[in-house]
Amino acid sequence: GEDVEQSLFLSVREGDSSVINCTYTDSSSTYLYWYKQEPGAGLQLLTYIFSNMDMKQDQRLTVLLNKKDKHLSLRIADTQTGDSAIYFCAESIPGGSYIPTFGRGTSLIVHP
Amino acid sequence: DGGITQSPKYLFRKEGQNVTLSCEQNLNHDAMYWYRQDPGQGLRLIYYSQIVNDFQKGDIAEGYSVSREKKESFPLTVTSAQKNPTAFYLCASIGTGYNQPQHFGDGTRLSIL
């Protein structure tokens, strides 16, 4: 079955890079997503990657995928206080019932 | 702008009362979902619907009910049978296509009076 795991907390200094990690268990072809949730709000899609890709970059965000180890990471360059939020990793299998499996979320705290 | 609208943003429930959370989308999405979020527990699926007039239970459906009479609307009723309803409730939808991510509303926070 599917299972997605993330560490619960990450604290970084403003201006440093943040790396949020995620592991998943399903080896089927899959889409992997990163969402951001600010306090009291819904989840906002940041980026996604298909499992036949190794890397995807979008401005300050870099997603790295190690398919062999089923490990996904989200790197945020030049982290700002506005990046403080909960970040969720999620996976879904194309052709299934479109029910993504979410990790528990990583709380990113950015301090001056 | 297309999106998902949840209302109300805050809701209070008295003991023994049923309350209904609204979720409306104008994205023309077929599939809609309800999640419950508790601190440190991520998202747990309550119900989902892939087409009008059809819905399935998720992982924690007990004490909840839904309807899907229109494509745009997927209301969630928290019944008196749900003994611990205090949580943040999120509605989401997905368009057709294998690489479509979920779109989320801004959530409803339900508390017990």
Side-chain angles (χ1 to χ4, degrees), chain A residues 8 31 33 35 37 40-43 45 48 86 88 92 94-100 102-105, chain B residues 9 33 35 37 40-43 45 48 50 88 90 94 97-102 104-107 109:
Chain A
L8 293 183
Y31 285 93
Y33 308 91
Y35 290 88
Q37 185 183 32
L43 274 67
L45 178 70
Y48 65 91
I86 302 176
F88 289 92
S92 67
S97 57
Y98 299 114
I99 302 176
F102 286 85
R104 291 189 172 192
Chain B
K9 190 162 179 65
Y33 307 77
Y35 292 94
Q37 186 178 24
Q41 294 210 31
L43 303 180
L45 183 65
Y48 66 101
Q50 293 183 303
F88 191 53
L90 287 163
I94 287 184
Y98 292 146
N99 65 340
Q100 300 302 313
Q102 283 184 319
F104 283 83
D106 282 338
R109 185 163 299 280

Side-chain angles (χ1 to χ4, degrees), chain B:
Chain B
D1 276 337
I4 299 178
T5 302
Q6 289 187 241
S7 63
K9 190 162 179 65
Y10 300 97
L11 187 58
F12 297 91
R13 194 192 88 170
K14 294 179 183 177
E15 193 128 354
Q17 186 182 42
N18 293 351
V19 291
T20 298
L21 285 61
S22 170
C23 178
E24 303 277 331
Q25 54 99 357
N26 60 3
L27 300 165
N28 200 33
H29 286 174
D30 287 316
M32 297 186 74
Y33 307 77
W34 274 107
Y35 292 94
R36 171 179 170 140
Q37 186 178 24
D38 296 281
Q41 294 210 31
L43 303 180
R44 292 186 288 170
L45 183 65
I46 305 173
Y47 269 98
Y48 66 101
S49 167
Q50 293 183 303
I51 198 168
V52 174
N53 292 323
D54 187 44
F55 49 83
Q56 282 78 40
K57 293 182 179 179
D59 300 319
I60 56 164
E62 186 174 348
Y64 300 97
S65 66
V66 293
S67 62
R68 188 84 187 278
E69 297 175 3
K70 298 187 299 181
K71 188 175 186 177
E72 306 80 29
S73 179
F74 190 41
L76 173 74
T77 297
V78 183
T79 74
S80 56
Q82 172 50 249
K83 297 307 179 189
N84 182 25
T86 298
F88 191 53
Y89 291 86
L90 287 163
C91 179
S93 69
I94 287 184
T96 55
Y98 292 146
N99 65 340
Q100 300 302 313
Q102 283 184 319
H103 294 250
F104 283 83
D106 282 338
T108 293
R109 185 163 299 280
L110 175 62
S111 302
I112 292 288
L113 277 179

Side-chain angles (χ1 to χ4, degrees), chain A residues 7 9 11 14 22-23 30-31 36-37 54 58 78 102 106:
Chain A
S7 54
F9 299 100
S11 178
E14 191 174 15
C22 170
T23 58
T30 190
Y31 285 93
K36 176 184 180 182
Q37 185 183 32
D54 298 323
D58 183 3
D78 187 25
F102 286 85
T106 299

